[in-house]
Amino acid sequence: MRIDGMAYRTIWPDGEGAVAIIDQTRLPHDFAVLRLTGLEEAAHAIRAMLVRGAPLIGATAAYGVALALRADASDRGLEHACATLLATRPTAVNLRWALERMRGLLAPLPEAQRLEAAEAEAAAIADEDVEINRSIGLHGAALIRAAAARKASGKTPHEPVNVLTHCNAGWLATVDWGTALAPVYAAFEQGIPLHVWVDETRPRNQGASLTAWELKHHGIPHTVIADNVGGHLMQHGKVDLCIVGTDRTTATGDVCNKIGTYLKALAAHDNGVPFYVGLPSPTIDWTIADGVREIPIEERDGREVSELTGRTADGRIETVRVTPAGSPVANYAFDVTPARLVTGLITERGVCAASRNGLLELFPERE
């Protein structure tokens, strides 16, 4: 995607043995590119959310394995790299998927062949993610186009399609294009008039800081709203459809995404607003059926809730406390939206019902 007219991915080899990333903890105030040169730097980038979003976490883990093998391509080095990276984040299934793919390819190879193979496979995972998300965009854009046609024939023919999204599932959460925002980008490129309601997404404000930054630089009309505004907008007919991302989706269509997604799905269901999920297939966990009971929910540092960081009027970046000193804080990072509240899953193979049968219609090889 574009930043001030220049095309970027979120992660790429720098040609000098390192891997470059966009430091997302510095956005939206500073755009900074960092070089990852080894395993510990890659693990830190995932753990500290310099990179985030399930697909990008998977791609970064794959590149992290390649970086680790530069120092130690032995069986012990490979297993240590995979174990270190797997321990960085518990919820997104792409992390495990990418590491299992890397280990499965590399373990049978002689040590002398592993580094070159690892670098090639990490690049392939990144390229595949781009194509998956591009396809999600095309399938999802058809839903936005249909909403535009309904509006054109209704009482508000000149209004844009209003899409509500939660957290950041744009290109910053993937290698390129995004998942939930891929349909938005594709529809925008097709000339469909649209506007995006951007949930701020407390506590880390990925909507206000990342989604808004993306859309602004791409020239897409958008408005940042407090997390609790979505239901009000839906009650007053100001949301035509919701599209969110997912960090893990069960074989039965339950969707685990950033905390607050479940509440948006409840509001959408109550107001008859279609609720879609942008779903790249590596994010499907075919091993589990009950998302509420089986998906581990990450609990993060309470300071993400009790403190806020922003730019002051004189240009300084400052962090301030917003809760009373000593008040306990709970910081659950994700919640699970039951399949019954999901209108459809937008995958690279098409749109399907959020159910086992719906998913198997598109992915029959998983029967």
Side-chain angles (χ1 to χ4, degrees):
M1 305 306 290
R2 295 191 298 271
I3 302 173
D4 297 333
M6 182 175 293
Y8 278 89
R9 285 186 175 188
T10 53
I11 187 168
W12 64 94
D14 72 349
E16 299 177 359
V19 176
I21 62 167
I22 297 170
D23 182 353
Q24 298 189 31
T25 64
R26 302 273 295 272
L27 295 173
H29 307 298
D30 294 300
F31 177 74
V33 174
L34 296 182
R35 296 174 74 246
L36 307 179
T37 61
L39 171 63
E40 292 305 323
E41 290 181 359
H44 173 74
I46 298 171
R47 188 182 305 111
M49 296 180 69
L50 279 67
V51 295
R52 24 72 52 207
L56 179 54
I57 287 172
T60 305
Y63 276 116
V65 171
L67 291 172
L69 296 188
R70 284 187 169 273
D72 183 0
S74 68
D75 290 347
R76 181 178 180 180
L78 175 60
E79 290 305 315
H80 173 67
C82 291
T84 299
L85 291 161
L86 184 62
T88 54
R89 299 286 301 275
T91 301
V93 74
N94 298 60
L95 176 63
R96 185 186 71 202
W97 167 83
L99 292 172
E100 289 177 351
R101 175 167 163 174
M102 295 293 286
R103 183 192 289 112
L105 170 73
L106 299 171
L109 297 179
E111 287 186 22
Q113 298 178 16
R114 285 178 176 174
L115 175 58
E116 183 178 356
E119 291 175 339
E121 190 69 1
I125 286 173
D127 289 344
E128 289 169 20
D129 181 66
V130 176
E131 291 308 310
I132 285 172
N133 297 329
R134 190 193 311 274
S135 295
I136 289 173
L138 294 176
H139 291 300
L143 300 173
I144 298 175
R145 189 183 307 111
R150 289 193 297 271
K151 297 195 81 164
S153 62
K155 297 180 180 179
T156 56
H158 303 296
E159 285 191 8
V161 176
N162 286 298
V163 180
L164 185 142
T165 192
H166 187 68
C167 194
N168 173 257
W171 71 271
L172 286 169
T174 67
V175 178
D176 206 350
W177 279 92
T179 56
L181 287 188
V184 169
Y185 287 124
F188 181 73
E189 296 298 327
Q190 294 171 17
I192 300 172
L194 54 81
H195 165 268
V196 182
W197 294 111
V198 180
D199 281 354
E200 61 180 341
T201 322
R202 287 278 290 145
R204 290 188 64 93
N205 296 317
Q206 293 104 321
S209 62
L210 302 179
T211 298
W213 184 85
E214 278 190 38
L215 296 173
K216 175 180 179 293
H217 282 273
H218 209 75
I220 296 178
H222 64 282
T223 304
V224 178
I225 56 173
D227 285 344
N228 292 328
V229 172
H232 167 79
L233 294 174
M234 294 183 210
Q235 285 180 326
H236 291 270
K238 295 183 180 296
V239 178
D240 296 301
L241 69 163
C242 302
I243 311 178
V244 302
T246 175
D247 286 79
R248 186 185 302 208
T249 296
T250 69
T252 55
D254 294 341
V255 174
C256 181
N257 193 49
K258 183 58 60 180
I259 195 76
T261 303
Y262 175 44
L263 296 180
K264 291 298 182 299
L266 287 170
H269 185 266
D270 192 49
N271 289 280
V273 175
F275 188 90
Y276 292 98
V277 177
L279 176 64
S281 59
T283 310
I284 305 170
D285 190 338
W286 296 97
T287 68
I288 63 176
D290 188 331
V292 174
R293 291 175 174 80
E294 297 182 74
I295 295 178
I297 300 300
E298 179 178 6
E299 296 184 51
R300 294 185 58 81
D301 192 321
R303 287 176 295 180
E304 294 180 350
V305 176
S306 63
E307 298 176 355
L308 283 172
T309 299
R311 186 184 292 279
T312 63
D314 60 3
R316 291 175 294 114
I317 304 298
E318 296 285 356
T319 298
V320 298
R321 172 180 286 276
V322 294
T323 62
S327 287
V329 173
N331 184 15
Y332 297 94
F334 301 90
D335 59 26
V336 175
T337 298
R340 63 183 174 80
L341 298 177
V342 178
T343 305
L345 303 173
I346 311 170
T347 80
E348 68 267 27
R349 296 187 184 179
V351 182
C352 70
S355 66
R356 183 182 297 276
N357 288 340
L359 284 167
L360 288 177
E361 286 178 6
L362 294 182
F363 302 93
E365 69 275 17
R366 293 290 186 170
E367 182 70 60

